[in-house]
Amino acid sequence: MKMTAQKLTIEKEVPVVGEYDVVVCGGGPAGFVAAIAAAREGAKTALIEQYGFLGGMATTGLVAPLSVFTYNNEKVIGGIPWEFIERLESMGGGYIEKPLGNVAFDPELYKLCVQRMVLEAGVALYMHSYLSGCVCENGTIRQVIIENKNGSEAIAGKTFIDCTGDGDLAHFAGVPMQPQNGAPLQPASTYFILAGVDTESPIIKEAMHHNKQGVNCHCLPIREKLLAMADKLDIPDFGGPWFCTTLHDGCVAVNMTRTAANACDNRDFTGAECRLREDVFRMAKILRDNFEEFRNSYVAAVSTQAGVRETRRIKGVHTITADEYVNAHRYDDSISRGAHPIDIHSSKGATQEATFLKQAAYVPYRALIAADYPNLLVAGRCLSADRRAFASLRVQASCMGTGQAAGVAAAQCAKADTAVQNADITRLVARLREMGAML
Ligand SMILES: Cc1cc2nc3c(=O)[nH]c(=O)nc-3n(C[C@H](O)[C@H](O)[C@H](O)COP(=O)(O)OP(=O)(O)OC[C@H]3O[C@@H](n4cnc5c(N)ncnc54)[C@H](O)[C@@H]3O)c2cc1C
């Protein structure tokens, strides 16, 4: 170990503990679907996840509902994502809202359902394993480095998929990222579950299902009263509020806290976690003290980590623009869809910009790959899109859709020993259609 005043240089031997066709980093909606898709395509597949359960924002962040699988009752995200939803529903852990295809869920059954599907597909799971770097030669990733109780370990692969949300693997490999151009990142928010809520009251019953096209599903009567009382009660910045059923009487998942933060800056995000935890309990008390529906409520759970809406996105071979997106431009290499409004939350104050789509949009394969990285795909939140197109594509059904495409593409490229830039698009799209993707 060498040490200078500012930096340490550490040399250490790291064992290579596995070799795979496809290595997926991050077990959120994009990652678990990508891993299942790759494994079902016959690839020897590993999935790396920092927590001891899967699901990403749905389970670590309690982010509900899962948006959106249909557009006006027409399914736009099919295949493995929809199979997951139907299985979750059959376990009593999901409720599909019509006509928008938002899905309310029980977070604990979500974790169990995902885990079963991943293990049944034969995926090798590395839980409690934090991706901390990679070995990359001229843009080709050879191994990823993970940290866990065994120490530092390396996992080798033919093709890698970055589903960390924050684009961690792409960042470590040196992939160029989208410029932020001075625009503020969307805020971080900590969800919490309130129990003891009067979920039979008309206001809460109406608010906790999200089933009206063209309407922002926040709880308007409570929002208006909160805004009127904001100065008097010194209410912190908030969004919505949105309430979502967790499928248990008396319980709602609450989305209302917000703070400006860059979740990819450790100190900044630490501060945000602490502010948001304080705000959860302040908000819970404000609801309890001022609204009859919440008079007997209490905080039953706070999300494992603050919810992150926006961080890094790669500069891909193609960047989806808002113009293409809202006009439902159909690409030669369309591999998935999106139907959620363009949904931009202000990092300060209580506002939000929501632009509803007139038709469901498309996602090209080229938004999942970068030019000079022959064995890397991304899926989910870190795909290549401008700020506005991304503000729709960031939702969970869309992330599952791109995960499915990336998983199949990675397996096909690994098998054919082909760079991801030379993927056989006709074959990829044909296979995705066969699986149920609505292209
Ligand atoms: C407050 C808020 C409200 C939202 N509202 C909605 C909504 O109503 N409907 C909706 O559908 N979506 C909503 N979203 C968006 C949605 O939750 C996310 O954009 C989506 O989950 C992103 O999916 P992903 O798979 O790309 O990343 P994530 O869900 O973030 O999953 C990434 C996974 O990778 C793991 N990981 C990350 N880094 C590492 C690492 N270095 N090593 C190992 N593992 C790692 C994480 O633990 C996680 O499991 C909301 C988000 C927020 C924050």
Side-chain angles (χ1 to χ4, degrees):
M1 185 170 79
K2 282 189 216 149
M3 197 168 122
T4 64
Q6 301 297 328
K7 276 191 178 169
L8 286 177
T9 305
I10 300 172
E11 277 178 24
K12 59 180 176 183
E13 281 193 358
V14 177
V16 179
V17 294
E19 288 185 30
Y20 297 89
D21 298 321
V22 176
V23 179
V24 182
C25 301
F32 82 77
V33 173
I36 294 169
R40 288 190 187 170
E41 288 302 294
K44 186 182 173 198
T45 304
L47 176 58
I48 296 164
E49 169 55 45
Q50 63 178 323
Y51 294 114
F53 53 85
L54 301 170
M57 278 297 137
T59 52
T60 63
L62 301 173
V63 169
L66 312 175
S67 317
V68 283
F69 291 84
T70 62
Y71 186 87
N72 270 345
N73 269 336
E74 190 191 322
K75 201 198 296 168
V76 290
I77 303 287
I80 295 168
W82 192 248
E83 178 190 329
F84 164 69
I85 294 301
E86 288 187 324
R87 182 145 169 194
L88 186 61
E89 190 187 42
S90 75
M91 288 167 68
Y95 174 72
I96 302 163
E97 296 174 343
K98 292 181 179 149
L100 295 192
N102 285 297
V103 178
F105 62 95
D106 173 327
E108 296 307 322
L109 286 171
Y110 187 123
K111 292 176 191 169
L112 183 65
C113 185
V114 177
Q115 175 181 308
R116 284 181 180 165
M117 285 181 69
V118 164
L119 293 176
E120 283 164 14
V123 173
L125 254 184
Y126 292 81
M127 282 182 173
H128 297 296
S129 293
Y130 191 82
L131 173 80
S132 63
C134 67
V135 178
C136 186
E137 292 165 8
N138 300 322
T140 300
I141 299 170
R142 303 289 179 204
Q143 290 102 12
V144 290
I145 309 298
I146 58 172
E147 312 293 331
N148 56 40
K149 287 285 184 182
N150 298 355
S152 301
E153 299 185 318
I155 297 178
K158 290 182 183 159
T159 309
F160 294 83
I161 312 179
D162 185 341
C163 296
T164 59
D166 297 321
D168 286 2
L169 178 55
H171 168 70
F172 294 137
V175 175
M177 297 291 160
Q178 295 288 337
Q180 197 58 30
N181 291 333
L185 291 168
Q186 291 200 44
S189 298
T190 294
Y191 265 71
F192 52 103
I193 294 180
L194 286 179
V197 178
D198 182 1
T199 43
E200 287 304 310
S201 65
I203 286 184
I204 303 300
K205 236 181 174 163
E206 161 93 16
M208 69 184 189
H209 297 292
H210 310 91
N211 50 11
K212 285 189 194 150
Q213 183 74 60
V215 173
N216 186 329
C217 298
H218 56 226
C219 184
L220 205 52
I222 291 187
R223 177 182 173 81
E224 283 174 347
K225 196 165 168 197
L226 284 172
L227 287 173
M229 299 186 306
D231 287 342
K232 195 170 126 220
L233 296 184
D234 191 22
I235 299 178
D237 284 348
F238 70 94
W242 292 269
F243 302 114
C244 189
T245 175
T246 59
L247 313 187
H248 300 286
D249 288 346
C251 291
V252 287
V254 182
N255 176 7
M256 70 188 294
T257 65
R258 60 167 49 163
T259 193
N262 177 1
C264 286
D265 179 297
N266 175 267
R267 261 64 81 198
D268 200 13
F269 198 42
T270 299
E273 284 282 6
C274 295
R275 288 194 297 281
L276 289 167
R277 192 172 306 281
E278 291 287 354
D279 286 353
V280 162
F281 287 90
R282 279 169 77 184
M283 293 297 195
K285 180 165 170 18
I286 288 165
L287 290 175
R288 194 166 49 240
D289 290 351
N290 294 282
F291 299 92
E292 185 56 27
E293 297 79 4
F294 292 94
R295 191 155 48 99
N296 299 314
S297 66
Y298 59 96
V299 176
V302 179
S303 62
T304 306
Q305 67 151 80
V308 179
R309 289 190 175 85
E310 182 178 13
T311 49
R312 304 183 190 109
R313 298 188 300 286
I314 65 158
K315 216 183 232 179
V317 170
H318 184 82
T319 296
I320 305 165
T321 66
D323 191 45
E324 289 167 357
Y325 196 75
V326 295
N327 290 307
H329 178 77
R330 224 168 157 157
Y331 311 86
D332 290 341
D333 59 343
S334 295
I335 43 78
S336 192
R337 308 288 297 275
H340 192 72
I342 291 179
D343 179 8
I344 303 179
H345 296 247
S346 317
S347 55
K348 280 235 139 284
T351 58
Q352 174 201 15
E353 178 199 330
T355 310
F356 292 87
L357 302 184
K358 300 217 164 52
Q359 49 197 324
Y362 291 87
V363 181
Y365 172 73
R366 286 163 298 143
L368 309 186
I369 56 172
D372 300 318
Y373 294 80
N375 68 343
L376 175 67
L377 292 123
V378 306
R381 198 160 60 73
C382 47
L383 89 177
S384 181
D386 72 16
R387 187 164 184 258
R388 292 178 61 77
F390 161 76
S392 163
L393 279 168
R394 65 189 180 86
V395 294
Q396 295 167 84
S398 309
C399 292
M400 290 183 192
T402 54
Q404 172 165 260
V408 174
Q412 290 183 348
C413 290
K415 191 166 182 197
D417 201 13
T418 305
V420 295
Q421 291 79 7
N422 299 329
D424 181 341
I425 299 299
T426 310
R427 193 163 153 245
L428 171 63
V429 169
R431 182 68 190 116
L432 289 169
R433 283 209 173 105
E434 209 173 88
M435 291 166 74
M438 317 307 290
L439 305 175

